[in-house]
Amino acid sequence: MQKILIVEDDADIAAIERDYLELNGYQVEIAPDGDTGLERGLHGRFDLILLDLMLPEEDGLHILKRIRAGASTARLPVILITAKGTEYDKVVGLDGGADDYIAKPFGMMELMARIRAALR
């Protein structure tokens, strides 16, 4: 079973994502803030990370940079999910190392398709 880390400070959004992912056969862990997300992302064994950009403590771009710098996590797929939806924000996120970028609000079918694509 593939394991996904959700780094999201909005508990309602994280719960919806978790429930939908679990219904689709994924094992899920939630990190509610940037520090926890960074620690779990670097030291946990995940197949993919869903990462919010605007987090308490550590922001998502810093977490992404640290994940890309780790020898064991450099190739770990990371999808940014954020309320920042301008073209500039998307370019910064993708150029910063993200494999994909989804602006909130988004549909769960789209999220699942993007996860499947990132895990291929």
Side-chain angles (χ1 to χ4, degrees):
M1 180 181 296
Q2 292 177 308
K3 190 172 177 184
I4 296 176
L5 174 63
I6 298 171
V7 185
E8 171 64 64
D9 62 322
D10 184 315
D12 293 332
I13 291 173
I16 290 167
E17 291 172 353
R18 180 201 59 222
D19 292 348
Y20 201 82
L21 289 167
E22 287 177 347
L23 282 172
N24 283 275
Y26 296 97
Q27 184 179 353
V28 178
E29 185 174 323
I30 296 172
D33 58 63
D35 284 347
T36 306
L38 179 58
E39 173 67 23
R40 297 300 303 136
L42 289 174
H43 303 292
R45 294 198 164 181
F46 297 97
D47 297 293
L48 183 135
I49 297 176
L50 298 177
L51 177 60
D52 189 9
L53 282 180
M54 297 182 293
L55 295 163
E57 298 162 22
E58 292 287 345
D59 75 21
L61 286 176
H62 181 257
I63 293 169
L64 178 60
K65 182 178 178 181
R66 294 280 308 276
I67 287 170
R68 289 292 174 246
S72 64
T73 57
R75 295 183 178 262
L76 178 64
V78 177
I79 299 175
L80 296 179
I81 299 180
T82 181
K84 292 183 167 190
T86 69
E87 181 180 14
Y88 176 78
D89 292 320
K90 292 175 186 178
V91 169
V92 169
L94 292 168
D95 284 349
D99 295 285
D100 202 351
Y101 192 108
I102 303 173
K104 296 175 186 175
F106 56 89
M108 294 310 290
M109 289 179 13
E110 176 187 3
L111 175 62
M112 292 306 302
R114 290 175 182 265
I115 288 170
R116 288 189 301 272
L119 290 172
R120 277 199 282 268

